[in-house]
Amino acid sequence: MLKLTRAYLLSAVLSTVLLASHVEAKTFDIDIVHSSMAFFIDHLGFSRVIGVAKEFGGSFEFDAARPEASSLAVTVKVASISTNNAQRDSDIQGADWFNATEFPEITFVGKEFKRANENTGSIVGDLTIAGVTQPATLDVLFNKEGENPWDKSHVVGFSAQTTVKRSDFGMKSALGMIGDEVRLYIEIEGRGR
């Protein structure tokens, strides 16, 4: 009887471990209402101009127990980028900057997901701007995962930031007057499917 009980317990433990090892990451869609993307770029050394992307979307897979198995794909509509000045916004849509007519979207595809500690990590991926693809690394803070109390949906949230050089993407207009380094700040809420 004791042998049967031990065998049953061992079988139950092994089943639990095997099931846990086959749990797949959850898929989340970016909740645009509760997400934001902003950038800062130097203007003549006097100030930093702030810009935002108003239209973006994408999805990602995430499992807090195995963040290294995540996936991520994000698209930003270039025409939605705003710096709160109509003339400047028109200029940056042009061929010397984003060239929005030929390249209407910016994309980021995550390739490598690394955990630094319980709440921080990085995502290395391919960032494509104006038809040029360069590697970029996002420093990521895991904020929270849980149930939205209003609609009971399953939600996960992250903050991320990185710095890129616009000249790496062919945007060399007014270098020396307008900064080359662009600081990106991203706040994302993902809603589970």
Side-chain angles (χ1 to χ4, degrees), residues 86-102:
Q87 180 61 58
R88 182 170 53 222
D89 292 347
S90 176
D91 289 344
I92 66 174
Q93 299 292 322
D96 289 338
W97 293 83
F98 286 105
N99 195 2
T101 301
E102 190 173 350

Side-chain angles (χ1 to χ4, degrees), residues 135-150:
T137 300
L138 299 177
D139 295 320
V140 181
L141 173 66
F142 170 62
N143 295 323
K144 183 179 178 181
E145 182 175 9
E147 182 183 277
N148 182 318
W150 282 291

Side-chain angles (χ1 to χ4, degrees), residues 117-122 138-144 157-161 186-188:
N117 58 43
E118 186 177 338
N119 293 325
T120 64
S122 62
L138 299 177
D139 295 320
V140 181
L141 173 66
F142 170 62
N143 295 323
K144 183 179 178 181
F158 300 91
S159 300
Q161 57 182 312
I186 303 162
E187 296 291 329
I188 293 295

Side-chain angles (χ1 to χ4, degrees), residues 30 39 64 69 82 107 125 128 150 161 172 193:
I30 292 174
F39 65 87
S82 171
T107 61
T128 302
W150 282 291
Q161 57 182 312
K172 299 180 180 180
R193 292 182 182 171

Side-chain angles (χ1 to χ4, degrees), residues 78-192:
V78 174
S80 78
I81 295 173
S82 171
T83 63
N84 201 33
N85 179 275
Q87 180 61 58
R88 182 170 53 222
D89 292 347
S90 176
D91 289 344
I92 66 174
Q93 299 292 322
D96 289 338
W97 293 83
F98 286 105
N99 195 2
T101 301
E102 190 173 350
F103 305 105
E105 295 181 339
I106 296 168
T107 61
F108 180 78
V109 178
K111 298 289 189 181
E112 188 176 358
F113 302 80
K114 299 178 182 178
R115 183 203 306 251
N117 58 43
E118 186 177 338
N119 293 325
T120 64
S122 62
I123 302 172
V124 179
D126 291 335
L127 177 62
T128 302
I129 302 174
V132 178
T133 301
Q134 295 284 350
T137 300
L138 299 177
D139 295 320
V140 181
L141 173 66
F142 170 62
N143 295 323
K144 183 179 178 181
E145 182 175 9
E147 182 183 277
N148 182 318
W150 282 291
D151 64 9
K152 308 304 181 190
S153 61
H154 187 79
V155 177
V156 64
F158 300 91
S159 300
Q161 57 182 312
T162 191
T163 299
V164 298
K165 287 189 174 182
R166 63 184 177 95
S167 60
D168 288 345
F169 298 91
M171 291 187 280
K172 299 180 180 180
S173 182
L175 281 174
M177 293 184 290
I178 299 173
D180 191 14
E181 289 193 343
V182 182
R183 190 76 183 168
L184 302 172
Y185 295 90
I186 303 162
E187 296 291 329
I188 293 295
E189 278 193 27
R191 186 180 294 267

